[in-house]
Amino acid sequence: MMIRFLALAPLLAIALPAHAQDDEPRPPRRYRVSLGPQLTPNYPGADKLQLTPMLDVATARGDDPFPFVAADDSFGFALIDKSGFEFGPAANFQGSRRRSEAGAPVDEVGTTIELGGYAQYWLARPLRLHAELRKGINGHGGLIGGVGLDYVARDGDKWVISIGPRVSLSDAKYRRAYFEVTPAVAARTGLPVYRADGSAVHALGVSSTATWQFSRRWGLYGYTRYDRLVGDGADSPLSRGPIGSRNQLSGGLGLSFTFGKGVR
């Protein structure tokens, strides 16, 4: 299960102290809160989906449109933001894998907090390149990251739609946590022993995020993402029937509400 910490980024920005240069009046701030249900895989390689809340929060000033953020970006905020380039810390939350969820006596993986960083660059007005690298400080304990390219079409805040490819990367420690079958697990489950020591790329996919504002305050927010496990992810007995699946699908849809002094 992946919980989107990205939604908390604007709240952190609000909490940060103002710079001394803020002596001049600034345009009023407005906020957009989106809430609804989402379906996500129980864990990497799972063949079942779980229903969880989806939350997204965005903020903008004056007449500036809300900045584009893909639904599958991790929580992050820019320490550097100049000429279309951003760099800053990133954090994510990966849910646990329990034997009850897998339906077999596999090795369990604890809930993981992942900390790291992100970088992104707008190659052109509609093209955004985004990359992340995070380290699990507990749980799987491995390195996980990804690279994505988004084509973003928009009419201000009236509507925004993006679509683009995704490449998911990980180190051996992460892949062994989710895809390896040790001799002990093989003895318990009857699955063949499998050593996850292949390519760093474990999934290829595509993601889309969309918003539509049907009044000055109310709108819709949604996303879909599909990943196909490759390499160790595809070859592992844990990501094939009857325990798992190479196809990983997630998506959500919710209502958005915009408020603040900047809303007219």
Side-chain angles (χ1 to χ4, degrees):
M1 177 181 67
M2 183 173 289
I3 304 297
R4 294 192 52 248
F5 277 86
L6 175 64
L8 304 180
L11 301 182
L12 179 59
I14 296 168
L16 294 176
H19 295 286
Q21 65 188 27
D22 290 346
D23 294 333
E24 298 182 2
R26 302 185 67 184
R29 193 187 295 271
R30 67 188 194 281
Y31 310 91
R32 185 182 65 204
V33 179
S34 305
L35 180 65
Q38 65 177 345
L39 289 170
T40 60
N42 282 355
Y43 54 85
D47 63 348
K48 296 181 178 64
L49 299 176
Q50 61 182 350
L51 184 66
T52 61
M54 177 188 68
L55 173 66
D56 181 82
V57 180
T59 182
R61 284 191 178 273
D63 295 326
D64 292 341
F66 289 106
F68 169 76
V69 179
D72 55 348
D73 290 352
S74 296
F75 158 60
F77 57 93
L79 297 178
I80 299 173
D81 186 355
K82 186 176 182 179
S83 302
F85 175 77
E86 285 186 27
F87 174 81
N92 194 39
F93 176 89
Q94 177 69 58
S96 62
R97 181 181 71 185
R98 301 301 180 193
R99 292 177 178 177
S100 58
E101 297 170 331
V106 299
D107 286 341
E108 295 188 336
V109 182
T111 299
T112 307
I113 297 174
E114 301 167 349
L115 301 178
Y118 83 96
Q120 72 175 35
Y121 181 67
W122 287 89
L123 303 172
R125 180 170 294 184
L127 288 177
R128 185 197 73 150
L129 181 65
H130 183 92
E132 297 183 14
L133 183 63
R134 308 179 305 276
K135 167 71 173 178
I137 63 174
N138 61 339
H140 63 67
L143 282 171
I144 176 69
V147 180
L149 180 68
D150 292 285
Y151 177 83
V152 184
R154 68 184 306 166
D155 180 4
D157 287 331
K158 292 181 181 178
W159 58 266
V160 181
I161 186 167
S162 71
I163 190 168
R166 298 290 189 266
V167 178
S168 297
L169 306 164
S170 58
D171 69 355
K173 192 169 186 178
Y174 176 92
R175 297 192 304 276
R176 288 169 186 164
Y178 287 107
F179 305 126
E180 186 159 288
V181 180
T182 64
V185 171
R188 293 196 302 262
T189 62
L191 296 172
V193 173
Y194 179 75
R195 177 77 171 174
D197 56 2
S199 168
V201 177
H202 72 259
L204 300 174
V206 61
S207 179
S208 177
T209 302
T211 64
W212 176 50
Q213 203 73 18
F214 53 78
S215 74
R216 65 174 184 160
R217 293 191 179 274
W218 293 98
L220 291 174
Y221 176 94
Y223 81 97
T224 58
R225 175 165 174 164
Y226 168 76
D227 286 293
R228 174 72 175 182
L229 296 179
V230 297
D232 286 337
D235 295 338
S236 171
L238 295 174
S239 57
R240 286 179 275 173
I243 293 178
S245 173
R246 299 172 179 173
N247 299 306
Q248 304 285 281
L249 181 66
S250 59
L253 180 66
L255 279 174
S256 67
F257 181 72
T258 302
F259 62 96
K261 293 182 178 180
V263 180
R264 295 192 296 271

